Amino acid sequence: MSLLQTGDCHAFEAGGQRFVYLAPSAAVLAVDDVSAAVLDAVAVQARSADDIRADLLSGGRFAAGDIDESLAELVRVRALNRVDTPVRPPRKVVPLTPVPLSTMVLNVTNQCNLSCTYCYEYGEDKIVQTENGKQPKMMSEDTARESVEFLLRESGPDAHMTFFGGETLLNFKVLKTTVAYAKRRAAEVGKTIDFSMTTNATLLSAEVIDFLTEHRFGVTISMDGPPDLQNKFRVFHGGAGSYDVIAPKIKALIKQHRSRPIGARVTLTKETLDVRRIYDHLTNEIGFWEVGFAPVTASPDRPHAFGDEGFENVLGEFRDLAKDYLAAALENRHHGFSNVRETIGEIHKGASKAWPCGAGFGLLGVSTAGDVALCHRFAGSDDHKLGTVRDGIDRAAQHAFLDAHHVSDKTDCQKCWARPVCAGGCYHEAHTRFGTTNRPNLHYCDWIRGWTDTCLQIYGQIAQRNPAFLQQFEDTHEAPQAS
Ligand code: SF4
Ligand code: SF4
């Protein structure tokens, strides 16, 4: 008789209720006592069904029929797996027909007026070479218009345009003319278009704030927290910190631009890891609606890069702040820790990713010269080019990329219960760490699994105690974001 072992799932507990997260379907199931006992029975070692049944019957808590039913159901959903049955890898389905483009990220400049020590655009981790003159410092109005036409050709009925840099506002001139052109052309072809941008906030003038307000821009501001943390890495070329310059400008923007929430994006490093203090400052002192944190992308030999211990510390800090999110959610209060919101949103929608993000299909980056790339972080890199805004997407290159990066080809990920939300992780992180986008980011699996487990627990508690809170994640399509 074949032995049964824990299957392709992750068991967890939330608020006294047992659950399993099923990797093949990305479903979260509440399990009853008998199923929980069956799962416990195989937690340490594989056992036969007869052995499990005898064990559970001897305790006198469960009837034979219930145990058999539970065994059959757990095998069916693959929470239990027969030892002699190989784990099936996720099915590989690569779309042959073009996937509509949802978000185009326009790198309107590759120049910046700050020189943040950890920035991937500069220093030794840089991918894109601008010295040979192939990538102009600023995108021209012509290229921006061609990019608009490209987006409107490739998108479905709703198009999202994100402006990025370098420092995006160094090319405010092109931003203004492009938005006017895009609105007119979108109306002519019967599509909707909306705009967002990422900025370091140094160039937020009254004119810029009026413009962002008028055109209902989604704004994300790169900011690392209170003065001592912001000024550690986010400095001007002469070395002066940027906090005093940006803080009043951001407050002015938040005061005036009320139609869309303004968010902060924090880059965490080994030396600036103080999540709660950063969060409190950015929400209470500055007034951001949401704050998202991302560990720095850097080669492991950089002094600010995270090693194993660093990721564990990030997880500890995240878990601490996530408790506040849960408390707020149970009382229907807003909490702006966006990392939790994004992950529980994916869990609630049953997201099961074949690729880690939309890069290369739903999201594309455009370089200052008009080259189309996987995403904004690869824009201008010849090795990651998928066409141009003039000539369109190179479908053969796009298909080859999606085929080569499907989660079913990542051996370690095939067996990992967190693959529905991770699928191997960011290509840019992998390229920086390993020199290739093909490798899964195995250096941070513990962190990803630990964080997903935390979010599953939060999700489980909300689902039991305040399920109405989860309605906000239903029927909403979030366009892929530039990160
Ligand atoms: S990179 Fe690691 S955590 Fe992510 S799916 Fe692959 S094995 Fe799992
Ligand atoms: S997760 Fe990485 S590869 Fe994907 S869009 Fe973001 S930066 Fe690009």
Side-chain angles (χ1 to χ4, degrees):
M1 174 171 292
S2 66
L3 299 178
L4 295 168
Q5 63 186 1
T6 305
D8 198 3
C9 69
H10 174 63
F12 66 98
E13 189 176 325
Q17 169 68 53
R18 300 279 299 268
F19 294 89
V20 275
Y21 179 57
L22 303 166
S25 57
V28 179
L29 291 189
V31 292
D32 58 14
D33 289 349
V34 60
S35 294
V38 170
L39 290 170
D40 289 344
V42 296
V44 178
Q45 62 175 32
R47 299 170 72 180
S48 71
D50 284 349
D51 192 16
I52 298 167
R53 191 182 299 109
D55 190 8
L56 267 55
L57 279 172
S58 71
R61 285 175 58 211
F62 308 112
D66 291 342
I67 298 168
D68 287 343
E69 208 177 294
S70 178
L71 279 164
E73 182 61 11
L74 291 171
V75 169
R76 191 185 69 76
V77 298
R78 292 165 62 184
L80 284 182
N81 183 44
R82 293 198 168 82
V83 170
D84 52 10
T85 310
V87 173
R88 278 174 276 158
R91 240 164 34 96
K92 185 170 183 176
V93 182
V94 179
L96 284 172
T97 49
V99 176
L101 175 60
S102 177
T103 302
M104 181 182 71
V105 188
L106 214 55
N107 283 24
V108 289
T109 177
N110 46 45
Q111 302 297 294
C112 193
N113 57 343
L114 294 184
S115 54
C116 309
T117 327
Y118 52 53
C119 182
Y120 60 84
E121 286 258 16
Y122 305 96
E124 291 171 46
D125 293 331
K126 175 178 174 147
I127 296 180
V128 180
Q129 300 301 323
T130 50
E131 287 79 24
N132 59 14
K134 278 174 67 183
Q135 295 298 327
K137 292 178 178 172
M138 298 284 165
M139 181 177 278
S140 69
E141 290 188 16
D142 280 351
T143 302
R145 273 197 294 273
E146 286 166 338
S147 303
V148 170
E149 295 298 337
F150 169 81
L151 172 62
L152 293 173
R153 267 197 316 274
E154 298 294 338
S155 70
D158 304 314
H160 306 276
M161 194 165 185
T162 296
F163 295 93
F164 213 86
E167 169 41 39
T168 312
L169 289 173
L170 283 173
N171 203 356
F172 182 51
K173 185 168 141 270
V174 162
L175 213 87
K176 281 193 294 188
T177 54
T178 307
V179 166
Y181 180 78
K183 280 188 155 176
R184 178 169 65 75
R185 289 291 297 128
E188 283 168 7
V189 300
K191 296 191 179 186
T192 69
I193 189 159
D194 73 3
F195 306 98
S196 55
M197 67 176 284
T198 296
T199 176
N200 64 25
T202 52
L203 299 172
L204 283 175
S205 61
E207 183 196 0
V208 170
I209 292 173
D210 284 347
F211 172 81
L212 299 176
T213 308
E214 180 189 344
H215 296 289
R216 299 170 52 88
F217 261 66
V219 183
T220 301
I221 293 177
S222 306
M223 185 173 184
D224 288 353
D228 57 320
L229 302 180
Q230 169 75 10
N231 292 340
K232 193 159 184 76
F233 293 109
R234 303 193 67 81
V235 294
F236 288 96
H237 295 302
S242 54
Y243 183 92
D244 289 344
V245 172
I246 67 168
K249 292 174 190 275
I250 299 170
K251 286 179 183 173
L253 173 74
I254 290 171
K255 191 170 171 207
Q256 181 175 324
H257 182 4
R258 314 292 298 178
S259 62
R260 288 179 75 177
I262 312 276
R265 185 187 185 281
V266 177
T267 300
L268 289 172
T269 72
K270 206 163 70 180
E271 296 158 47
T272 52
L273 184 56
D274 201 343
V275 170
R276 177 173 291 279
R277 186 158 73 93
I278 295 169
Y279 178 84
D280 286 346
H281 184 85
L282 293 181
T283 51
N284 299 335
E285 300 294 321
I286 304 291
F288 283 108
W289 177 252
E290 276 203 325
V291 181
F293 297 84
V296 68
T297 297
S299 305
D301 50 341
R302 303 278 177 274
H304 48 265
F306 285 110
D308 291 347
E309 196 185 309
F311 277 115
E312 240 173 71
N313 294 339
V314 176
L315 187 56
E317 297 265 335
F318 269 38
R319 280 183 170 148
D320 185 45
L321 189 59
K323 285 183 199 150
D324 291 8
Y325 183 98
L326 173 62
L330 294 178
E331 294 171 4
N332 286 320
R333 280 187 289 113
H334 167 74
H335 190 278
F337 187 12
S338 64
N339 300 68
V340 184
R341 179 183 58 74
E342 284 163 14
T343 306
I344 67 171
E346 289 186 338
I347 292 168
H348 185 69
K349 289 177 188 164
S352 185
K353 299 178 185 173
W355 297 277
C357 58
F361 55 118
L363 180 146
L364 291 170
V366 178
S367 74
T368 51
D371 291 346
V372 174
L374 291 179
C375 77
H376 51 295
R377 292 201 182 197
F378 292 100
S381 159
D382 284 344
D383 292 342
H384 306 92
K385 186 170 163 179
L386 293 178
T388 70
V389 290
R390 288 155 211 110
D391 303 330
I393 298 171
D394 177 342
R395 294 292 172 198
Q398 183 186 37
H399 193 273
F401 174 83
L402 294 175
D403 187 55
H405 291 77
H406 195 278
V407 68
S408 66
D409 285 336
K410 296 174 181 170
T411 312
D412 293 271
C413 305
Q414 286 175 16
K415 292 172 279 176
C416 171
W417 63 262
R419 68 176 183 276
V421 292
C422 174
C426 170
Y427 305 126
H428 183 257
E429 170 85 19
H431 190 279
T432 306
R433 283 267 169 172
F434 312 117
T436 171
T437 52
N438 287 61
R439 291 258 304 263
N441 287 291
L442 300 180
H443 60 288
Y444 63 31
C445 297
D446 288 347
W447 142 253
I448 292 290
R449 285 192 281 255
W451 178 238
T452 308
D453 174 67
T454 299
C455 290
L456 282 166
Q457 290 180 38
I458 292 173
Y459 179 75
Q461 294 224 40
I462 298 173
Q464 289 175 86
R465 296 165 62 190
N466 188 14
F469 181 83
L470 298 171
Q471 271 168 11
Q472 64 184 291
F473 301 115
E474 280 163 24
D475 302 327
T476 55
H477 168 71
E478 276 197 34
Q481 300 290 314
S483 52

